[in-house]
Amino acid sequence: MSRPTNRTEALARLHATIATNKAILGAGAGIGLSAKCLEAGGADLLILYNSGRFRMAGRGSLAGLLPYGDANAILLNMADEILPIVSNTPVLAGVCGTDPFRHIPSFLRKLKEMGFCGVQNFPTVGLYDGNFRINLEETGMGYELEVDMIREARKLDMLTCPYVFNEDEARRMALAGADVIVVHLGLTTKGKIGATTAMTLEAAAERLQSIADVAWSVDRKSMDMDEVIVLVHGGPVAEREDAEFVLDRTTGVKGFFGASSLERLPVEVALEEAAKGFKSLEIKQ
C-alpha cells in the first residue's frame, strides 16, 4: 500500500478506520525517527510542522509561534528528512497561513508536488488571545487567512485538517470545506516542558462536544460536502487514558490528534528510564 498523495485517497483511509469503530490517530512528527515509529505503530495521519522541531530540541511547543525561525521554511526542511522515510501513511503539512511573504496558493501547490496529501493550520493565531489577538485581527494577520488557506487547499484536492479553538472557528472551517476539524484544547500538559495550566478533563469533554456540535450543525449537504470528522487535541488530553476519558463522554468524536503526547512524552520517559538502567550497572573489580 503506497502513501496517499491526495484528499480522496486519504479520506477513504479515515472512513475505513471509522468503519471498524477504531479511533482515528493523527500524530505530529518532528524528526524522521519519530515518523518511522509512529507509522509502525499504526498512526492514520502524520503531521509535520515547525513546533515539532522545537519540541524535539527540548523546547516548548509554543516556540513555534515565536520569532525563532521561518515556520514555512522549517516545514520544507522537515519534509526533506521525513517524507522519504514514510511509506504508507498520509502526511500533512502544517502551513502558516498568515505568512505575509509567501503566495499561499503557490506554496500549497508546491507542497502537493512534494508529496504532502493535505494541510493543517500551524502555526496558528488561534493560540493567541487577549489584546494581542485582537490587534492581529485588526491588522490583517487574523484567523480568516487560515480559513482562506484551508479553502484553497480543498480546491487542490488536499485533505484539510485545521485546528479550531472555539465554536465560531469551527463553523468557519466547516463552511470552508474542512474534512477534519481538530478541536484544540490548549497546550498539552505533563512532561518536562509541558504546560501546567489547563482545564479539567470534565470541562474538556464539555468544550469538545460544544465545538463539535457547531461544526456538525453547518449544512454541508447543500454544498455537496460530507459531514466533517472531529478529533480532539491538547490541553489535559495528554495520555491514552485522558483521550479515552473525553471520548467516552462525548458523542460523534472520532479520535485523537497528538503531537507532544505521541512524540515528546514517550521519548522523555523512555530515555530517562534507559539512562537510569545503564547507570545502575555496577563494576566488578
Side-chain angles (χ1 to χ4, degrees):
M1 185 183 298
S2 60
R3 188 178 78 230
T5 57
N6 61 59
R7 171 183 175 273
T8 303
E9 294 174 358
L11 201 53
R13 294 270 194 100
L14 298 184
H15 283 299
T17 297
I18 292 171
T20 66
N21 293 320
K22 295 291 186 181
I24 290 173
L25 178 62
I31 58 176
L33 182 60
S34 297
K36 193 176 185 70
C37 294
L38 290 166
E39 179 172 51
D44 296 289
L45 297 169
L46 293 175
I47 301 91
L48 315 188
Y49 52 65
N50 69 327
S51 274
R53 274 288 194 256
F54 292 112
R55 181 186 310 120
M56 299 311 287
R59 310 301 185 208
S61 295
L62 289 183
L65 279 77
L66 294 170
Y68 303 151
D70 179 339
N72 286 328
I74 292 172
L75 166 68
L76 295 177
N77 179 266
M78 294 171 69
D80 290 338
E81 175 183 335
I82 297 174
L83 283 177
I85 209 169
V86 179
S87 302
N88 305 308
T89 310
V91 182
L92 307 182
V95 177
C96 180
T98 57
D99 187 340
F101 301 109
R102 290 184 191 271
H103 181 250
I104 295 299
S106 299
F107 187 58
L108 292 175
R109 288 194 291 271
K110 177 177 181 177
L111 294 174
K112 185 172 183 179
E113 290 171 0
M114 292 176 66
F116 285 104
C117 77
V119 297
Q120 187 170 57
N121 56 326
F122 197 91
T124 170
V125 300
L127 280 165
Y128 292 119
D129 55 17
N131 285 335
F132 186 65
R133 172 65 182 275
I134 293 171
N135 291 160
L136 287 173
E137 298 289 343
E138 291 173 340
T139 55
M141 293 177 280
Y143 191 81
E144 189 62 26
L145 291 178
E146 299 177 25
V147 177
D148 291 341
M149 184 272 289
I150 292 297
R151 186 180 294 110
E152 188 66 29
R154 167 91 185 207
K155 293 177 184 177
L156 295 173
D157 194 32
M158 300 181 80
L159 187 73
T160 50
C161 306
Y163 280 136
V164 304
F165 299 82
N166 55 48
E167 289 83 354
D168 178 61
E169 292 169 2
R171 178 187 59 80
R172 289 156 69 184
M173 284 298 190
L175 284 169
D179 299 299
V180 180
I181 281 180
V182 184
V183 177
H184 198 305
L185 298 174
L187 194 64
T188 302
T189 59
K190 302 182 180 178
K192 299 187 181 304
I193 54 174
T196 56
T197 302
M199 67 184 79
T200 65
L201 283 169
E202 291 81 0
E206 292 179 8
R207 186 84 177 121
L208 170 61
Q209 190 72 68
S210 176
I211 294 173
D213 287 344
V214 169
W216 293 324
S217 72
V218 173
D219 180 14
R220 287 167 54 109
K221 287 185 179 180
S222 64
M223 299 182 285
D224 195 27
M225 297 180 185
D226 294 332
E227 183 175 85
V228 68
I229 297 169
V230 176
L231 308 179
V232 63
H233 168 77
V237 188
E239 299 175 342
R240 181 195 179 280
E241 293 75 17
D242 304 326
E244 185 174 34
F245 183 96
V246 297
L247 292 174
D248 284 348
R249 287 162 179 76
T250 51
T251 301
V253 180
K254 299 302 183 184
F256 172 70
F257 168 65
S260 294
S261 299
L262 287 164
E263 186 173 42
R264 173 176 62 82
L265 292 174
V267 167
E268 288 181 12
V269 174
L271 292 183
E272 185 171 332
E273 289 304 309
K276 287 179 178 177
F278 280 102
K279 189 60 180 174
S280 68
L281 290 172
E282 295 185 3
I283 305 299
K284 297 180 180 180
Q285 303 297 332

